[in-house]
Amino acid sequence: MRVLRTATALAVTASFVLVAGCSGDEPADPSPEPSGTEGSATASAAGDGDAVTVVTHDSFAVPDDVLAAFEEESGLEVTFVQPGDAGTLVNQLILTKDAPLGDVVFGVDNTFASRAIDEGVFAEYESAAPAAADAAEYAVADSQALTAIDYSDVCLNYDIGWFEETGAEVPATLGHLADPQYNGVLSVTNPATSSPGLAFLLATVAEFGEDGWEDYWRTLVDNDVRVTSSWSDTYFVDFSAPNYGGDYPVVLSYASSPPSEVVDGEPTTAAMLDTCFRQVEYAGLLEGAENPEGGQAVIDWMLSDDFQASVPENMYVYPVSSQVEVPAEWAEFAPLADAPHTMDPEVISANREAWIESWTEIVLD
């Protein structure tokens, strides 16, 4: 699916080939050398001595030393192609499936997974890396086309200081935000252009059901909800938190965002954990890849201890590996939701376009 992901990703330029696209999804900093995976494609690719191309979203970030160690061990030269955010990424994968942009993809999330699988974008691959058993917990049902790499909770975040200064009660649930007292406080992202925006839309469908979610959004419109095209606009521009100074004290982001906003040891923001949708990001081998062995090696590397350990502080999401410890401050400032909203990828696939169309008519027309 982070929070300073977008900002930090700009620093990860070595060996990257950037392709024009829109940004705006999800968070991004450091960590060390790869453990490798015995008997995996990492070892088998070492003899190829050729290039492998990873297609990913524009918020991907990995430390230079972790990447360099993988290239040295595998004998592969890794190039990254970044067409845009998660939604743009899937669109490009489908449009180019007969002439794929690379060998392997990272960043397809559970809101788009079934669409890409149904379009025949991926070749099946089952990793033998140690963390593969943990990744299986998040597998797409009846498919080996995608391997889970990380997960996170898309949640509303709020500016602690704003609520303290105004004396307003912090809205704990989605339903609370329909109250007129919260007029003009909320900024979210468009589900048609933003992966977090789509996750939030799905959270409202899961919370209020087919008979209630549209009316809920009508109340948000009456409450002057603001909609942007990207996560970065909502978070970096609109958020009233001290680091940004915008006009909206409640914004759409991640449960893992608040550690980035700690000032002098004190939190300035917090996540509303009853508003969350669980987002999972996957890697997948592209059908028709020029270097499928190299693509398999990349997937194994992404499940290695070193890559997994780098995930929290670089992409502000949780690694799937149970062997990797997340930063200590996350326990205090970035707890996961106890009961996040979830939805079967097949249900998402069957209804996504209709839900987005209805949302657009209600909110933007």
Side-chain angles (χ1 to χ4, degrees), residues 8-34:
T8 307
L10 297 176
V12 188
T13 55
S15 303
F16 279 41
V17 174
L18 299 180
V19 178
C22 58
S23 176
D25 285 345
E26 315 74 58
D29 251 320
S31 247
E33 129 200 83

Side-chain angles (χ1 to χ4, degrees), residues 9-362:
L10 297 176
V12 188
T13 55
S15 303
F16 279 41
V17 174
L18 299 180
V19 178
C22 58
S23 176
D25 285 345
E26 315 74 58
D29 251 320
S31 247
E33 129 200 83
S35 57
T37 45
E38 293 187 24
S40 72
T42 304
S44 65
D48 297 342
D50 53 4
V52 62
T53 299
V54 180
V55 187
T56 185
H57 52 56
D58 52 12
S59 297
F60 177 82
V62 62
D64 289 343
D65 58 344
V66 174
L67 175 61
F70 169 66
E71 289 183 316
E72 181 177 355
E73 179 182 294
S74 67
L76 292 165
E77 180 180 348
V78 183
T79 297
F80 293 85
V81 173
Q82 297 172 285
D85 69 13
T88 302
L89 172 64
V90 171
N91 287 336
Q92 289 300 306
L93 293 176
I94 292 170
L95 290 171
T96 62
K97 65 181 181 181
D98 294 328
L101 296 173
D103 303 297
V104 63
V105 63
F106 167 79
V108 174
D109 67 32
N110 52 321
T111 65
F112 287 102
S114 291
R115 180 184 176 203
I117 291 172
D118 292 345
E119 290 286 346
V121 167
F122 305 110
E124 292 197 344
Y125 174 62
E126 187 172 6
S127 175
D134 294 319
E137 179 182 344
Y138 305 96
V140 177
D142 303 319
S143 175
Q144 292 182 340
L146 290 171
T147 302
I149 305 298
D150 64 63
Y151 65 97
S152 59
D153 285 339
V154 175
C155 311
L156 295 177
N157 283 207
Y158 66 93
D159 175 358
I160 295 172
W162 187 91
F163 282 93
E164 289 177 345
E165 290 168 13
T166 61
E169 184 179 353
V170 176
T173 68
L174 292 173
H176 288 165
L177 285 163
D179 191 300
Q181 70 173 305
Y182 298 115
N183 184 279
V185 306
L186 176 63
S187 176
V188 300
T189 55
N190 188 332
T193 60
S194 162
S195 171
L198 179 55
F200 184 65
L201 171 59
L202 297 177
T204 65
V205 175
E207 172 80 10
F208 300 105
E210 278 286 5
D211 296 329
W213 76 267
E214 293 178 332
D215 286 339
Y216 174 70
W217 276 98
R218 291 186 181 98
T219 64
L220 292 187
V221 171
D222 290 342
N223 256 1
D224 293 330
V225 63
R226 173 168 160 78
V227 177
T228 71
S229 62
S230 71
W231 168 84
S232 57
D233 285 340
T234 283
Y235 196 82
F236 294 127
V237 178
D238 284 355
F239 204 7
S240 64
N243 285 334
Y244 311 109
D247 296 324
Y248 292 82
V250 181
V251 300
L252 183 62
S253 196
Y254 295 82
S256 51
S257 301
S260 302
E261 311 306 338
V262 174
V263 177
D264 296 329
E266 294 296 324
T268 63
T269 71
M272 296 164 53
L273 296 181
D274 287 335
T275 68
C276 300
F277 184 87
R278 179 63 50 85
Q279 189 176 58
V280 181
E281 286 191 308
Y282 299 92
L285 183 66
L286 289 171
E287 187 68 59
E290 289 188 10
N291 186 358
E293 292 81 10
Q296 293 169 4
V298 168
I299 294 174
D300 291 347
W301 168 58
M302 288 183 174
L303 289 176
S304 71
D305 287 348
D306 292 304
F307 185 93
Q308 288 282 297
S310 77
V311 161
E313 293 184 345
N314 284 270
M315 294 191 283
Y316 276 76
V317 289
Y318 282 79
V320 294
S321 175
S322 59
Q323 302 304 307
V324 170
E325 292 187 9
V326 298
E329 63 268 24
W330 281 35
E332 183 176 1
F333 302 121
L336 288 164
D338 291 332
H341 294 294
T342 60
M343 192 175 291
D344 189 309
E346 292 297 334
V347 175
I348 297 172
S349 182
N351 295 281
R352 182 193 308 106
E353 300 312 316
W355 286 337
I356 290 176
E357 184 176 343
S358 295
W359 179 92
T360 301
E361 290 176 358
I362 294 166

